[in-house]
Amino acid sequence: MSCVALKKRQRDGLSLCLTNPWASTPICVRRWWQLVSSFLRSGHLIKMWLECPVEETDDRGRKTRTTEARDNRRGIPQGSPISPLLANIYMRRFVLGWKMLGLEQSLGSRIVTYADDLVILCRKGKADEALQQLRKIMGKLKLTVNEEKTRICRLPEGEFDFLGYTFGRMFSERTGQARLGYRPSRKSIKHMVEKIQH
């Protein structure tokens, strides 16, 4: 999209935005911008997205525009197309920090990320330490871990949802033997059923 088209869309009230994906606390737009501009040459387009007004519709259907994120220099509303890009940039810093601290080796860990979602897989008995290190690194990045969505899951006894799938103990349809596997999560199935019904 050209700069002129983006400015026109900004005037028309269409906006792109992002919130701190790890918690309800808004993150510092200036830090996002420093990271983004180090990755992209045409960073001025993204900066325009970060600063443009946000249009919201209330329960009665009334539309309001706000420049709260721009005025406070913190936070960007959730769900924008630019959100995964910016989340990936921050997540990259987290993963690099994890590796630089040697946590991949010392905890026998592997991090799986997708935009603002992550799972840390680690050796048995290392989950508590991994969670402490997660909080510590996120704190240094000035992010807050969303405690409601964060938990330790011990496999094969437990299970967890990630990217629309439930991971955990599954049973073979043919042999009945237990194995670690995945299936569509209940939430994904419910969402798909609702989509089909409407």
Side-chain angles (χ1 to χ4, degrees), residues 15-63:
S15 58
L16 303 171
C17 29
L18 171 75
T19 55
N20 175 356
W22 295 278
S24 57
T25 325
I27 58 171
C28 179
V29 171
R30 186 174 67 241
R31 273 199 56 73
W32 279 99
W33 178 241
Q34 288 169 347
L35 294 169
V36 171
S37 63
S38 72
F39 277 83
L40 303 173
R41 288 180 165 204
S42 59
H44 65 281
L45 292 175
I46 293 175
K47 188 173 183 181
M48 288 171 53
W49 283 338
L50 295 175
E51 294 180 346
C52 67
V54 176
E55 187 173 285
E56 295 178 346
T57 306
D58 64 14
D59 295 339
R60 294 180 171 173
R62 295 179 298 196
K63 293 183 180 187

Side-chain angles (χ1 to χ4, degrees), residues 121-132:
L121 307 168
C122 58
R123 280 194 303 256
K124 192 173 188 170
K126 299 289 185 174
D128 292 319
E129 186 180 346
L131 184 55
Q132 286 177 329

Side-chain angles (χ1 to χ4, degrees), residues 9 167 172 190:
R9 288 191 176 200
F167 293 83
S172 169
K190 182 181 175 188

